[in-house]
Structures are given as C-alpha cells and as structure tokens.
Amino acid sequence: MKIVVDAMGGDYAPQSIVAGVVEAVRELGVNVVLVGIKDQVEEELRKFDYPRKKIEIIHAPEVVGMDEPATVSIRKKRESSISVGMKLLKEPDYDAFISAGNTGAVVASASFNLGMIPGVERAAIGLVIPTLKKFAFLMDVGANTEPKPEHLFHSAQMAQVYVREVLGVPNPSVGLLNIGEEAGKGSGFEKETHKLMTEQLSHFLGNIEPNEIFSGKTDCIICDGFVGNVVIKVSEGLMEAAGTLLKREIKKSPMAMLGAFIIKSNLQHIKKYADYSEYGGAPLLGVNGLVMISHGRSSPKAIKNAIKATMREVEHKIIESMRKVISGQ
Amino acid sequence: MKIVVDAMGGDYAPQSIVAGVVEAVRELGVNVVLVGIKDQVEEELRKFDYPRKKIEIIHAPEVVGMDEPATVSIRKKRESSISVGMKLLKEPDYDAFISAGNTGAVVASASFNLGMIPGVERAAIGLVIPTLKKFAFLMDVGANTEPKPEHLFHSAQMAQVYVREVLGVPNPSVGLLNIGEEAGKGSGFEKETHKLMTEQLSHFLGNIEPNEIFSGKTDCIICDGFVGNVVIKVSEGLMEAAGTLLKREIKKSPMAMLGAFIIKSNLQHIKKYADYSEYGGAPLLGVNGLVMISHGRSSPKAIKNAIKATMREVEHKIIESMRKVISGQ
C-alpha cells in the first residue's frame, strides 16, 4: 500500500505533516509518498529517524494558499502539491491521497482529475463526529453547498458504505438533518429529499433535528454542505467559548481553582473525546479515488490518524463497494 | 400598557404561563390580558395572590397543538388562543402579543392578521444569544427557511433597530453568517446578499463564520431561518451532550466528584449565562405589530423575561422605527 500525502497543505506545513507521516510509517508500517517542495520536505525529514525506504518524495514546485480560490489548483497552479499528488492516483501504484490544504482546491482538483464514481454527480465530505453513544458520520460538511435531492441521496448511500466498511458498523442507519422531525418540515428541498430517501434508501430513520446530532440517534447524518459546515463550525466555536467562560469563572476564586485542578484530567478527557482529529480526517466521497481531507490545523497526530483511517479505506476497497451500491448491484 | 399573552401556548401551559404572568404583574406593574380556555386559566390564577385589576381573561375555546401544521391557526382553529390573541392587536388598546405556542402557527397568524410593515415581504424571528463579550442578536432563527437576499437585507435593518432600541447598543454592527470570511464564499444566495448589504447597509462588517458567533464579533448576525434554527439547536444539543459527558466523567472517581462539587456554582453560573430564557423571548419582526415568541419549554421566569423585553419594545415604539428605516426615511 502506498499513500500520497500533500506535504505543503495546512497551517503548519510542512513541519506538522512530515512529523505525522514519520509517526505513521513507524507505527503502521505504511509506505508514504510526500508531495511538495523537495528541499523543504527533505529538511524536515532530516530531523527524524525512520525506515528510509518507507518514505518517498515527489517534487511539486507550487503551493496553493489556504485562502486562494478553489479553482487555482486546476487552472493556474498545475504543479502544486495538490495537483501533482492528485494526478498520482491515476497510476496503479498509488492508493490514496491525503491533504490538510485548501479544501476547495482539493475538492476541485479531485473532481477534475479523478472524475466521479458512475452515477454520482457531485462529491461530498464526510466527518466522523463524537456522540454520547460512540460516533456519527456527518456528511456533507462543506463540498457541495447547493445540492439537489439526488446528491444527498447518493451521499447517504456512500456514507452507509463508509460507516459499514471503515468504521465497522453493520447496517448503518441514516437521518436527514432537518429543523423538525415531521416529514413535512423544512424547505421544498428537504421535503423532496425526505421523500426520495423514504422510497429508496435502506435503514432511513427520517428527519433528525440538530439538537440530536450528538445523541447518537443515527449512524449517518446527511445534509447539504453549507449546513454541515455550519454544524461543525458552530460546535467548534461553542466549545471554545465554553472553555473560555469556564476559565474566567475559575479565576474568580482560589476554591474554584482548586476544584478545577482536581477535575482537570476529566475535562481534558472530554476535550480529547470531542477532538475530531482523534478520529482521522474527513473523506471526500463520490470522486473516483480515495481522497482524505485533514483539518488545516492538523497536528502530527491528526495526520497519523488520517493515514490510519485511509489505510482502512484502501483495505476495504470502498470505491468498489460504493460503485456497486450506487449502480444498484 | 396592555400586553396580550397566549395562556395555552407551550409545553407547560397554562400553569407555567400563568405563573410567569403573575410574577410579571407583581414585579413590573404591567397589565396583562390572558387569552385561553377561561375555566383553566381561572383555575390557575386562583393559586396566586396578585393585583386583580392587572390581569384580564379573554376566552378562546380552541388550542393549536405544538405539532399541528402552521396554517391551522388561520384555516381551521379561528377561535384558538393564538388567533384570538393576535386579532386583539388590531385594536388600539392592546400593545403586544406573546406566545410560547406553536411557532409556525404564530408566524402564520401574525402575517395573516397583522400584515407586514410596508416594504417588508417576510417576517423573521430574532434571538438574543450570549457571547464572550455580552450578547448578539441572531436572526432569522426559523420563520423564513427559503428567503431572498432582500429578505435578509430587511432582517438586518430590523435587527439593527431592535438591538439599538431594546438592547441599548448604539450603532449596532451586522455580520452575514457564511461558511467563509471572503466575499466570494457560500452559494449564489450568500454572494448576492453580501453584495446587497455591502452596497446598502450601514455598519456591515461582512461575513461572519459560524465559529465566531459566540465571540461577540458583531452585534447582529443575519442568516436564513433554516441555518439560524440549526445554529440554536446544535448549540442546545452540544451543551446538553457536554453536560452529560461531564457527569459521566465525574462519576468515575470520588476525587472528581469532590472537584465538581467545589466548582458546581461556577458551572451553574455558566449554564445560566448560556440560558436563552435569561434574555427574554424571540421577537417576530417584520409584521405590523409587536409579537414575541417564547420557547415551548418556557419556565415562569422565561415568560416574565419575555414580558419585560416586550415592554421595552412598546416603550421604544420599535414598529415606528422599523417602518422609518425600511422606507429609507
């Protein structure tokens, strides 16, 4: 197995990426191809001890900035790490591509260079999120902000494959994210999607309200990319704000500081539980190849976990499974 | 001043509503008209001591259920507490209407019976939410799930009036909720709205990302009713889940229980801070009359606070101010 990793993607690239890759080859025995500006990648690699044969470098002279328009990787910077890395997937030796870089650029480049799974029109990004039971798979969290009902239907089918094969949940259930439980809730778009899923999707449990996302009510939660992105960003912001408030409160009295000191490890445990990077990256599904998107602020550990999750995708041949489900075989 | 209150609306009606109204007339000296099934309302009132002249009952034989379709209050139950109460607003003696009942029915009944402020096409619901600075006004949280850009523009103008007059913030700033900070982010709808606000809205600070909602970056945060509803429900669900996780963690060790005991009051302080009911109800803006929507699970205190906020709306004549701003005077 050979996994291609964008060495230049993310806020802490290439340092964080290279460190995570080194951890992965040491612990997981995987082969990695680092794509990026060769000198910089080599300089980072020199800091570590690792089995040399396990990491290969492929030079890509350009870098897509985190704030550049999505199409830059296709139209302008054709020699960027995203572009070069993505194109490698078309060759039989390379199994998957991981990037913590510009999400829009990765989605555009994947759609353009790899094409889609037959029957699927648009790609979507899934994300494993923690719940009170264990986890749920939220999709789409940002690729397709103006989907048609069929796009969400295909997302649901692909999410079920992912959760079954990669997360090991037999017969995953699906909920449609909506602002009410009844079938008639939401806009015309939600009503039409609800109808389509009711008629054609296996194990569809109907609408799921946003306050139930973290309850673990369904294994997959399907929504459009705008709403999914709002869900994860509101959650991030709220946890940060709650943490800040707690710190402010605690500083008000020495007794509170003592109490907080005692339960510090418990609070950290919750923080760890809520940390998406514990669960690997966010798979881009629908394109004809395995592409994993990591958070722009990915730590080395997050990169390692993304590689680990990607290895399961490769082992379980999820593209083949998705192809079968979409074509109704 | 005379405020009409739907005695039958909400999960704990009429008990919770009547109790809140009694608290309000005692503490705030306001006159209240309770609309609902007379026998039931009288029975509840008998439990309390209060200045008799301050509370009047108007009989409405029907009740719109919390899960009934929005149009029931207009088409079928014309003698419901929502319908009867709303129609009172057309008479000069009554200043505002408050309901903790079926939100959709209140929105439909208000639009149908009161009509709109000239120039405004659709109503929207605002909500005061706590932030790290103080608070922000999020609008729309659920009335209009498929708005046009002009609807959001009018929402922004009305939100500014509300925040200035009722919350006392001079020259309130506005952010457009979007999944990226740059002007080109989001779907066509967001781009068009961004353009409209940039060109015509005073103190528009551009896009605000969902993770910044609780930071207090802008005074008003504008979005469509579907997304706004997702924001408040995700927040509710996440805080609940975090609380459950914390309890689970703490139960694991006696030391953690001690630590939690010490900071219990601090945690409760945060919970109180995050409790929307502390800040009154959610005003329905755009209709030609003062309508306040309370949470279906409103406590007596939440009802009292909704009445308090509504009194400020009446005192500051916000309908007149909104009419002026919308017409460009």
Side-chain angles (χ1 to χ4, degrees):
Chain A
M1 192 187 305
K2 221 179 232 181
I3 292 177
V4 184
V5 176
D6 172 8
M8 312 308 290
D11 297 338
Y12 313 125
Q15 296 83 342
S16 197
I17 312 294
V18 170
V21 164
V22 169
E23 271 187 46
V25 299
R26 276 183 195 153
E27 284 180 34
L28 312 170
V30 65
N31 290 293
V32 172
V33 180
L34 276 165
V35 181
I37 298 174
K38 203 168 184 178
D39 294 352
Q40 290 185 28
V41 178
E42 276 175 346
E43 196 187 320
E44 284 305 315
L45 274 173
R46 248 177 260 130
K47 297 175 185 168
F48 299 97
D49 233 12
Y50 63 93
R52 302 279 144 182
K53 283 184 182 167
K54 293 267 179 202
I55 299 180
E56 187 185 329
I57 304 173
I58 290 183
H59 182 59
E62 293 175 310
V63 177
V64 178
M66 293 302 272
D67 291 328
E68 288 192 274
T71 49
V72 160
S73 63
I74 307 170
R75 297 205 187 127
K76 288 183 186 160
K77 296 184 174 172
R78 299 192 187 191
E79 294 303 311
S80 71
S81 54
I82 291 174
S83 248
V84 172
M86 199 68 77
K87 283 177 206 154
L88 286 176
L89 284 204
K90 297 207 260 188
E91 295 174 29
D93 285 355
Y94 304 93
D95 296 293
F97 177 67
I98 300 173
S99 177
N102 183 316
T103 300
V106 173
V107 175
S109 173
S111 307
F112 181 78
N113 286 302
L114 307 177
M116 308 304 288
I117 290 175
V120 177
E121 279 179 23
R122 298 285 295 270
I125 302 169
L127 186 67
V128 180
I129 57 170
T131 70
L132 288 178
K133 285 189 186 151
K134 200 165 179 189
F135 47 69
F137 190 67
L138 180 68
M139 180 159 154
D140 172 19
V141 297
N144 184 3
T145 58
E146 287 174 286
K148 296 177 191 162
E150 306 85 66
H151 299 165
L152 259 60
F153 174 64
H154 291 145
S155 283
Q157 291 185 303
M158 294 190 292
Q160 285 182 317
V161 169
Y162 192 88
V163 171
R164 194 180 65 223
E165 300 293 330
V166 180
L167 306 177
V169 178
N171 192 21
S173 60
V174 169
L176 174 65
L177 192 66
N178 203 340
I179 57 173
E181 221 180 315
E182 310 82 41
K185 284 280 178 174
S187 64
F189 170 72
E190 279 80 29
K191 286 176 207 167
E192 225 180 296
T193 309
H194 189 281
K195 188 166 173 278
L196 185 61
M197 288 186 177
T198 304
E199 286 167 1
Q200 296 186 34
L201 191 71
S202 68
H203 211 175
F204 175 55
L205 300 185
N207 289 330
I208 174 168
E209 289 198 75
N211 48 329
E212 294 175 317
I213 289 175
F214 302 101
S215 70
K217 195 180 172 188
T218 63
D219 300 310
C220 309
I221 300 164
I222 306 299
C223 59
D224 75 57
F226 191 95
V227 167
N229 202 272
V230 168
V231 169
I232 57 170
K233 283 183 179 161
V234 166
S235 307
E236 271 182 36
L238 184 60
M239 290 309 282
E240 260 183 54
T244 305
L245 270 181
L246 186 61
K247 276 180 204 152
R248 272 191 205 166
E249 271 296 315
I250 284 164
K251 276 187 190 154
K252 286 182 191 166
S253 89
M255 258 322 253
M257 285 171 77
L258 172 68
F261 179 77
I262 294 173
I263 61 163
K264 199 175 173 188
S265 70
N266 304 86
L267 291 173
Q268 276 169 343
H269 196 188
I270 291 176
K271 206 174 161 191
K272 191 180 159 191
Y273 187 84
D275 182 3
Y276 297 157
S277 74
E278 292 285 325
Y279 306 85
L284 176 69
L285 303 182
V287 293
N288 204 6
L290 295 174
V291 177
M292 184 69 97
I293 294 168
S294 280
H295 199 293
R297 295 198 300 264
S298 283
S299 64
K301 189 178 153 205
I303 296 295
K304 186 193 76 185
N305 283 336
I307 292 174
K308 203 170 166 184
T310 305
M311 289 170 72
R312 283 187 67 88
E313 293 183 5
V314 178
E315 284 159 8
H316 286 259
K317 298 180 178 157
I318 65 162
I319 297 277
E320 260 174 58
S321 300
M322 288 193 286
R323 214 178 266 149
K324 277 184 192 161
V325 169
I326 297 289
S327 69
Q329 280 181 332
Chain B
M1 192 185 306
K2 220 179 232 182
I3 291 176
V4 184
V5 176
D6 172 9
M8 312 309 288
D11 298 337
Y12 313 125
Q15 296 84 345
S16 197
I17 312 295
V18 170
V21 164
V22 169
E23 272 187 46
V25 298
R26 277 186 196 151
E27 286 180 33
L28 312 170
V30 65
N31 290 295
V32 172
V33 180
L34 275 165
V35 181
I37 299 174
K38 203 167 185 181
D39 294 349
Q40 291 185 27
V41 178
E42 276 175 347
E43 196 188 322
E44 285 305 315
L45 274 173
R46 249 177 259 130
K47 297 177 187 167
F48 301 96
D49 232 10
Y50 64 93
R52 303 278 145 185
K53 284 186 182 167
K54 293 268 179 202
I55 300 180
E56 187 186 330
I57 303 174
I58 289 184
H59 182 59
E62 294 177 308
V63 176
V64 178
M66 294 302 272
D67 291 330
E68 288 193 274
T71 49
V72 160
S73 62
I74 307 170
R75 297 205 188 128
K76 289 184 188 159
K77 298 184 175 172
R78 297 188 189 195
E79 295 303 311
S80 71
S81 55
I82 291 174
S83 248
V84 172
M86 199 68 77
K87 282 177 206 154
L88 287 176
L89 283 204
K90 295 205 262 186
E91 295 173 29
D93 284 354
Y94 304 92
D95 296 293
F97 177 67
I98 300 174
S99 177
N102 183 317
T103 300
V106 174
V107 175
S109 173
S111 308
F112 180 79
N113 287 302
L114 307 177
M116 309 302 292
I117 290 175
V120 177
E121 282 180 20
R122 298 286 296 269
I125 302 169
L127 186 67
V128 180
I129 57 170
T131 70
L132 289 177
K133 284 185 186 153
K134 199 164 181 191
F135 46 70
F137 190 67
L138 180 67
M139 182 160 151
D140 173 18
V141 298
N144 185 1
T145 58
E146 287 173 288
K148 295 177 191 164
E150 305 85 65
H151 299 166
L152 260 60
F153 174 64
H154 290 145
S155 284
Q157 290 184 304
M158 295 189 291
Q160 285 182 317
V161 169
Y162 192 89
V163 172
R164 193 180 66 225
E165 300 293 330
V166 180
L167 306 177
V169 177
N171 192 19
S173 60
V174 169
L176 174 65
L177 192 65
N178 202 339
I179 56 172
E181 221 181 314
E182 310 82 41
K185 282 282 177 171
S187 64
F189 170 73
E190 278 81 29
K191 286 176 205 166
E192 226 180 295
T193 309
H194 188 282
K195 189 167 172 279
L196 185 62
M197 289 186 177
T198 305
E199 286 167 1
Q200 296 187 36
L201 192 72
S202 69
H203 212 174
F204 175 55
L205 300 185
N207 290 329
I208 174 167
E209 290 199 74
N211 48 327
E212 293 175 318
I213 289 176
F214 301 101
S215 71
K217 196 181 172 187
T218 63
D219 299 311
C220 309
I221 301 164
I222 306 298
C223 58
D224 74 58
F226 191 95
V227 168
N229 202 274
V230 168
V231 168
I232 57 169
K233 285 184 180 162
V234 165
S235 306
E236 271 183 35
L238 184 60
M239 290 309 281
E240 259 184 55
T244 306
L245 270 181
L246 186 62
K247 275 179 204 152
R248 272 191 207 164
E249 271 296 314
I250 285 163
K251 277 188 190 153
K252 284 182 191 166
S253 89
M255 258 320 253
M257 285 170 77
L258 173 67
F261 179 77
I262 295 173
I263 62 165
K264 198 175 174 188
S265 70
N266 305 86
L267 291 173
Q268 275 168 343
H269 196 187
I270 291 177
K271 208 176 160 189
K272 192 180 158 192
Y273 187 84
D275 182 2
Y276 298 156
S277 74
E278 292 287 324
Y279 305 86
L284 176 68
L285 302 181
V287 292
N288 203 8
L290 294 176
V291 177
M292 184 70 97
I293 293 168
S294 280
H295 198 294
R297 293 198 300 264
S298 284
S299 64
K301 189 177 153 207
I303 295 296
K304 186 193 75 184
N305 284 335
I307 293 174
K308 201 171 169 183
T310 305
M311 289 170 71
R312 283 187 68 86
E313 293 183 5
V314 178
E315 284 158 8
H316 287 259
K317 298 180 178 157
I318 66 163
I319 298 275
E320 261 175 56
S321 300
M322 287 192 289
R323 214 179 267 150
K324 277 184 193 162
V325 169
I326 296 290
S327 70
Q329 280 181 332

